[in-house]
């Protein structure tokens, strides 16, 4: 599904290097988790995967379903089935949430050669998805993320995930800032979306999330590299011992 | 007549026409049909214009960025109301679109009694020309005009002595108008003209009215100037919802001055959607004169190419527990200018007032310019006043967000630009006015060149 080889990347503006030779392979249907200290480059990795042009890849390769996506812009990567739930979703006043979701959904249908849906058809579909993430229908009329609470923004990301049904979903700290109930709802939604053909990359600081969404592989990321990988026990170990333990091996 | 370039004084005199500018005496058109109060008002405005500097100069902060010279260089004459048949039929076609609406139609500054029709409003509501008022309404008008401040800015003064016949509208106490009233100011001519509409509206106690004002130029390529004065008086618990639409041609100019005074618990909701045009200057002075009076103003200027927009708001919070909101945005294409000046004044006794002011400008091109001049003058201590301004290009982060959901770059850009503009409509309380604003914003956006 995803194959990252020796990825080096820096901030385009000033060449500050952030990712320093990162390798990661995710097979179809697998759930991977990345844990790592603040500033280790987790969000940078996720945004580079999504196609953020403020970063530039200086070396290495990213293959998605066997093909390089380095030349694809964010739109194409999304249409190919890659999804990022942002750590800090932006607020866009003036853009209606439901209209935006329909645009995104139709863009995907069109890309797949399917017929676009009209607002009425989409509304039914959207209501189902709202129920899945336990969001009130009033969120349809709101402006995109505008004035949403931290937890509501995170739920809105999962709503988009549910609408777009990507092949690979990267969840950048979706669990941060969620209350216990929300964490359970969001996890349940993700578990429901787990399937043979769909992979997940969870970025988190909390082992607790991994009790709800059980990962196949856990990685420790320090200083722009993956320094250790293991099964879900690694997450518990990291929780107990901190990152100095892996950074020094 | 091709001669030497005219001196500035000559151009100013030419602009003022029969008033032979500073040295002259005032000859008032149709003076026999005007009542003594109006005549006196016009004379005073003329004196004030003469003694207080005449046309704005570069020393006048509120006008220094406005290209007055380009207006003076245009051989404007005062617009007349008798027009050739083809212009009249253009007007009929335009007004025909409003056949299902209550409407006041001003042609070249003067209310046209035949084209105007307010039969859809409650029967007590009346709109008449100044020259057509009964004694009671004359006294009512004088009361409103006395309570307003004397004309302050140069073009407001010019209007005040130049206008031919004003319009006075009254919504009596307790009368609530469900339907919106359309006020259309049409400038029609085959040579460069200035029109001087002058409107006064009194909203009675507990009364309410929603108004859509549209400025239209039917001058096909010929420069025009609509120099309008508005005076709105909102009585106790009265409410005025107001939408000003200026979707004007390249050659048209509008200089608007509006005064709004609001008594206790009165409410003014003003919205301004401007697109295109050459020079558009909009000055609004709001006085909150009674407790719990509120003013909520929003506006968006959409400048596809070489448009010059100036918005100047003054809000006087004169009473305790008053509230005002000013939120003005602009989208600036090539060679466009937007200036927002916002003065908030809080009187010494006006405790517990709240005022928020925000100006946001979106630059689509490096050749555009945004000027933001917020000013706070606060003489009370228990107040909350905020103001802010931002000017920038489209946010990369927002674009990434939309694109990462599969939306094409161009489409995402368009969505962000329209979202930026439409946020203004989200702040319009009256649903009808909101709908009109959205329609106008949408069609204005179609004229924008998307940035690469
Ligand atoms: N656009 C940028 N400009 C400047 N510095 C940046 C930029 N993007 C990332 N960085 C820096 O790169 C480093 C990695 O940031 P990143 O957001 O990827 O960390 P993270 O692992 O996600 O941290 P956290 O756990 O706090 O979310 C940080 O030091 C950050 O300040
Ligand atoms: Mg992060």
């Amino acid at each position: 599904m995803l194959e990252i080889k020796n990825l080096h990347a820096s901030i385009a503006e000033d060449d500050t290097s952030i990712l320093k030779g990162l390798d990661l392979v995710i097979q179809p249907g697998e759930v991977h988790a990345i844990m790592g200290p603040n500033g280790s480059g987790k969000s940078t990795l996720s945004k580079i995967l999504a196609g953020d042009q403020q970063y530039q890849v200086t070396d290495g390769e990213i293959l998605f379903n066997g093909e390089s996506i380095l030349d694809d812009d964010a739109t194409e990567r999304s249409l190919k089935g890659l999804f990022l739930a942002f750590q800090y979703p932006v607020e866009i006043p003036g853009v209606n949430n439901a209209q935006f979701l329909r645009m995104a959904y139709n863009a995907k249908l069109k890309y797949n050669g399917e017929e676009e849906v009209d607002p009425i058809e989409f509304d039914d579909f959207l209501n189902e998805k709202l129920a899945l993430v336990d969001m009130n229908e009033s969120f349809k009329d709101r402006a995109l993320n505008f004035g949403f609470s931290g937890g509501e923004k995170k739920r809105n990301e999962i709503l988009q995930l549910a609408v777009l049904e990507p092949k690979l979903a990267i969840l950048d700290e979706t669990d941060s800032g969620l209350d216990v109930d929300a964490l359970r709802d969001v996890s349940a939604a993700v578990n429901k979306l787990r399937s043979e053909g769909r992979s997940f990359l969870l970025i988190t600081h909390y082992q607790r999330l991994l009790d709800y969404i059980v990962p196949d592989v856990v990685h420790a990321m320090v200083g722009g590299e993956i320094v250790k990988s293991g099964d879900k026990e690694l997450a518990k170990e990291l929780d107990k011992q901190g990152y100095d333990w892996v950074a020094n091996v | 007549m091709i001669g030497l370039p005219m001196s500035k004084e000559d151009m100013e005199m030419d602009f003022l026409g029969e008033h032979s500018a500073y040295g002259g005496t005032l000859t008032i058109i149709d003076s026999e049909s005007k009542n003594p109060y109006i005549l006196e008002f016009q004379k005073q405005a003329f004196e004030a214009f003469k003694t207080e500097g005449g046309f704005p100069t570069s020393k006048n902060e509120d006008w220094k960025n406005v290209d007055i010279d380009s207006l003076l260089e245009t051989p404007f004459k005062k617009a007349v109301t008798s027009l050739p048949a083809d212009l009249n039929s253009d007007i009929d076609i335009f007004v025909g679109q409003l056949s299902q609406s209550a409407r006041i139609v001003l042609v070249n500054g003067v209310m046209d009694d035949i084209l105007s029709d307010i039969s859809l409003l409650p029967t007590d509501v009346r709109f008449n020309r100044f020259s057509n008022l009964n004694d009671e309404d004359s006294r009512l008008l004088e009361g409103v005009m006395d309570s307003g401040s004397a004309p302050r800015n140069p073009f407001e003064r010019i209007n005040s002595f130049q206008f031919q016949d004003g319009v006075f509208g009254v919504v009596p106490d307790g009368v609530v108008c469900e339907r919106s009233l359309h006020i259309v100011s049409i400038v029609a001519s085959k040579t460069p003209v200035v029109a001087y509409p002058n409107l006064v509206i009194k909203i009675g106690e507990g009364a309410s009215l929603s108004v859509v004002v549209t400025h239209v130029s039917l001058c096909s390529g010929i420069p025009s100037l609509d120099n309008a004065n508005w005076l709105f008086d909102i009585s106790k618990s009265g409410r005025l919802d107001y939408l000003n639409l200026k979707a004007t041609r390249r050659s048209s100019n509008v200089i608007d001055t509006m005064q709004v005074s609001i008594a206790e618990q009165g409410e003014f909701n003003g919205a301004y959607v401007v697109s295109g045009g050459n020079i558009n200057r909009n000055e609004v002075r709001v006085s909150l004169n009674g407790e719990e009076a509120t003013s909520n103003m929003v506006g968006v200027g959409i400048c596809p190419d070489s448009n010059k927009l100036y918005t100047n708001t003054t809000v006087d919070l004169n009473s305790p527990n008053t509230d005002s909101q000013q939120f003005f945005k602009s989208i600036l294409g090539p060679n466009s200018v937007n200036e927002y000046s916002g003065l908030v004044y809080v009187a010494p006794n006006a405790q517990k007032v709240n005022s928020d002011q925000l100006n946001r400008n979106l630059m689509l091109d490096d050749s555009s310019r945004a000027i933001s001049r917020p000013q706070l003058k606060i003489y009370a201590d228990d107040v909350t006043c905020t103001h802010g301004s931002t000017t920038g290009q489209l946010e990369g982060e927002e674009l990434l967000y939309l694109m990462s959901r599969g939306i094409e770059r161009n489409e995402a850009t368009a969505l962000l630009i329209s979202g930026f503009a439409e946020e203004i409509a989200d702040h319009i309380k009256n649903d009808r006015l909101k709908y009109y604003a959205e329609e106008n914003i949408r069609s204005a956006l179609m004229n924008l060149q998307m940035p690469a």
Side-chain angles (χ1 to χ4, degrees):
Chain A
M1 173 78 51
L2 180 73
E3 203 175 329
I4 303 174
K5 294 187 221 167
N6 188 32
L7 188 66
H8 287 77
S10 55
I11 300 170
E13 212 170 47
D14 59 11
D15 292 334
T16 310
S17 141
I18 300 180
L19 300 185
K20 297 162 184 163
L22 185 138
D23 294 285
L24 177 67
V25 179
I26 302 178
Q27 301 297 344
E30 284 184 352
V31 175
H32 287 230
I34 292 183
M35 301 180 80
N38 296 132
S40 56
K42 303 179 299 296
S43 293
T44 304
L45 169 65
S46 68
K47 283 191 266 184
I48 286 170
L49 289 172
D52 189 343
Q53 298 196 331
Q54 66 171 318
Y55 304 105
Q56 98 198 28
V57 171
T58 50
D59 198 6
E61 186 53 276
I62 304 172
L63 303 178
F64 187 54
N65 291 320
E67 280 174 34
S68 172
I69 53 167
L70 286 177
D71 290 336
D72 294 344
D73 69 5
T75 309
E76 281 176 78
R77 294 182 194 198
S78 164
L79 293 171
K80 285 181 173 172
L82 197 144
F83 180 90
L84 168 61
F86 286 83
Q87 181 176 5
Y88 304 109
V90 290
E91 299 196 7
I92 311 187
V95 172
N96 171 274
N97 205 23
Q99 254 169 301
F100 156 71
L101 284 163
R102 189 167 70 89
M103 265 176 97
Y105 185 62
N106 276 336
K108 181 191 133 176
L109 292 178
K110 195 171 150 198
Y111 180 81
N112 294 337
E114 293 168 56
E115 206 166 310
E116 298 182 23
V117 293
D118 62 37
I120 298 164
E121 270 177 273
F122 183 71
D123 195 51
D124 292 338
F125 170 77
L126 184 55
N127 287 343
E128 268 174 46
K129 301 296 178 185
L130 281 161
L132 183 71
V133 293
D134 198 23
M135 275 173 85
N136 191 290
E137 290 186 14
S138 67
F139 281 100
K140 292 189 288 192
D141 298 328
R142 300 270 298 265
L144 180 50
N145 293 328
F146 186 60
F148 285 27
S149 76
E152 288 166 351
K153 283 181 187 157
K154 297 299 176 76
R155 275 185 203 254
N156 208 29
E157 293 293 288
I158 301 306
L159 174 67
Q160 293 171 35
L161 166 63
V163 166
L164 294 175
E165 300 185 332
K167 297 194 176 84
L168 171 67
I170 305 160
L171 274 55
D172 188 0
E173 293 199 30
T174 302
D175 55 330
S176 297
L178 288 184
D179 64 36
V180 196
D181 294 337
L183 182 63
R184 203 172 296 135
D185 289 344
V186 164
S187 306
V190 169
N191 283 328
K192 220 169 190 170
L193 291 163
R194 273 179 91 156
S195 74
E196 265 176 42
R198 184 168 299 130
S199 311
F200 286 86
L201 178 59
L202 312 174
I203 295 170
T204 183
H205 287 294
Y206 306 104
Q207 194 273 325
R208 187 183 55 173
L209 174 73
L210 307 179
D211 289 337
Y212 291 102
I213 309 172
V214 181
D216 300 299
V217 187
V218 174
H219 308 275
M221 180 165 172
V222 180
E225 283 177 89
I226 287 186
V227 293
K228 191 172 174 64
S229 303
D231 62 10
K232 62 178 194 288
E233 294 307 315
L234 176 60
K236 288 185 182 145
E237 206 64 28
L238 289 169
D239 219 28
K240 228 182 290 164
Q241 310 216 29
Y243 294 105
D244 285 347
W245 165 63
V246 280
N248 296 332
V249 288
Chain B
M1 226 180 35
I2 300 163
L4 295 166
M6 280 166 97
S7 71
K8 184 145 189 208
E9 283 70 26
D10 287 343
M11 290 191 292
E12 290 179 354
M13 286 205 219
D14 209 45
F15 184 94
L16 294 171
E18 70 271 16
H19 300 315
S20 50
Y22 311 101
T25 47
L26 181 63
T27 35
I28 290 177
I29 313 176
D30 295 341
S31 61
E32 65 286 351
S33 67
K34 281 180 177 159
N35 78 34
Y37 179 90
I38 299 293
L39 278 174
E40 186 52 33
F41 174 82
Q42 297 207 286
K43 282 187 183 141
Q44 282 180 15
F46 185 58
E47 285 308 312
F49 181 78
K50 278 202 299 184
T51 55
E52 294 183 38
F55 283 92
T57 65
S58 56
K59 293 198 188 80
N60 188 329
E61 276 295 313
D62 287 340
W63 290 84
K64 70 173 187 198
N65 294 309
V66 185
D67 186 7
I68 300 299
D69 287 352
S70 75
L71 292 179
L72 291 174
E73 280 158 23
T74 308
F76 281 120
K77 294 280 176 279
K78 189 164 166 176
V80 294
T81 48
S82 60
L83 296 172
D86 54 340
L87 281 180
N88 274 324
S89 75
D90 288 350
I91 292 171
D92 288 343
I93 291 167
F94 185 85
V95 175
Q97 302 167 33
L98 291 170
S99 60
Q100 304 301 314
S101 311
R103 61 191 183 271
I104 297 294
V105 179
L106 298 150
V107 177
N108 288 345
V110 180
M111 176 171 156
D112 185 308
D113 291 334
I114 297 166
L115 296 174
S116 302
D117 179 356
I118 57 163
S119 56
L120 289 166
L121 295 181
T123 47
D124 300 341
V125 177
R126 48 198 193 270
F127 276 79
N128 288 299
R129 284 188 276 120
F130 287 1
S131 58
N132 227 356
L133 297 175
N134 61 28
D135 286 350
E136 192 197 335
D137 280 355
S138 290
R139 275 193 303 278
L140 209 53
L141 172 65
E142 289 162 22
V144 173
M145 288 177 74
D146 282 340
S147 69
S149 66
R152 252 196 250 170
N153 86 49
F155 277 82
E156 182 185 16
R157 289 184 184 130
I158 295 173
N159 171 295
S160 297
F161 64 77
Q162 290 274 31
F163 77 83
Q164 184 177 334
D165 198 355
V167 180
F168 183 41
V170 181
V171 184
D173 293 351
V175 174
V176 172
C177 304
E178 299 292 338
R179 286 173 175 264
S180 303
L181 171 67
H182 289 257
I183 299 178
V184 189
S185 173
I186 299 174
V187 184
S189 175
K190 291 180 176 177
T191 56
V193 290
V194 195
Y196 297 103
N198 189 302
L199 260 98
V200 179
I201 299 180
K202 182 175 178 64
I203 308 289
E205 282 193 23
S208 79
L209 178 68
S210 63
V211 181
V212 185
V213 173
T214 312
H215 293 267
V216 187
S217 161
L218 298 177
C219 297
S220 56
I222 308 289
S224 65
L225 171 61
D226 192 340
N227 180 187
N229 281 10
W230 312 83
L231 175 59
F232 297 145
D233 183 278
I234 303 171
S235 311
K236 184 182 173 189
S237 304
R239 170 170 171 172
L240 177 65
D241 291 277
Y242 172 88
L243 170 64
N244 187 307
L245 300 173
K246 296 184 189 109
T248 46
R249 303 185 191 209
R250 271 294 270 281
S251 53
S252 69
N253 305 279
V254 183
I255 296 182
D256 238 354
T257 306
M258 181 186 294
Q259 276 194 65
V260 187
S261 70
I262 312 167
E264 64 178 294
Q265 294 178 339
E267 180 177 347
F268 172 63
N269 300 306
Y272 305 82
V273 178
V274 187
S275 79
N278 180 37
I279 292 174
N280 268 305
R281 187 182 188 276
N282 187 23
E283 175 167 328
V284 191
R285 300 198 301 266
V286 178
S287 302
L288 297 152
N289 296 328
E291 290 213 26
E292 291 175 44
T294 60
S295 163
N296 172 26
M297 286 191 273
V298 296
V300 58
I302 297 167
C303 301
D305 186 11
S306 309
N307 316 104
K308 287 154 261 171
L309 241 64
Y310 310 87
T311 302
N312 190 304
T313 63
T314 302
V315 179
D316 292 348
L317 297 128
N318 293 325
S319 292
N321 293 308
T322 48
D323 183 285
S324 90
Q325 308 284 321
Q326 296 82 243
F327 187 13
F328 285 85
K329 282 185 161 186
S330 77
I331 300 177
L332 299 169
N335 303 309
S336 293
V337 177
N338 184 75
E339 174 176 298
Y340 175 70
S341 306
L343 170 67
V344 172
Y345 163 86
V346 181
N349 66 331
Q351 303 297 354
K352 302 230 177 324
V353 306
N354 179 62
S355 173
D356 300 307
Q357 185 162 285
L358 182 60
N359 172 226
R360 294 190 64 197
N361 304 299
L362 177 59
M363 318 266 273
L364 300 183
D365 192 280
D366 289 342
S367 61
S368 58
R369 197 155 77 102
I371 307 155
S372 206
R373 297 195 303 135
Q375 263 180 288
L376 293 175
K377 291 187 181 167
I378 302 176
Y379 298 100
D381 42 35
D382 186 10
V383 303
T384 350
C385 290
T386 65
H387 69 82
S389 84
T390 62
T391 294
Q393 296 171 345
L394 280 177
E395 294 281 339
E397 210 187 340
E398 297 182 356
L399 200 59
L400 173 69
Y401 191 82
L402 298 181
M403 288 176 70
S404 76
R405 301 317 186 224
I407 297 169
E408 297 282 348
R409 179 182 293 274
N410 288 343
E411 223 180 329
T413 304
L415 188 61
L416 288 175
I417 293 172
S418 65
F420 182 87
E422 280 167 27
E423 186 191 8
I424 287 301
D426 290 346
H427 288 262
I428 299 177
K429 291 187 190 170
N430 179 288
D431 286 340
R432 287 256 106 203
L433 300 196
K434 182 178 173 168
Y435 169 81
Y436 289 124
E438 283 170 345
E439 291 252 287
N440 275 270
I441 289 171
R442 235 169 276 147
S443 64
L445 289 172
M446 296 209 272
N447 297 324
L448 276 182
Q449 198 84 24
M450 292 297 150

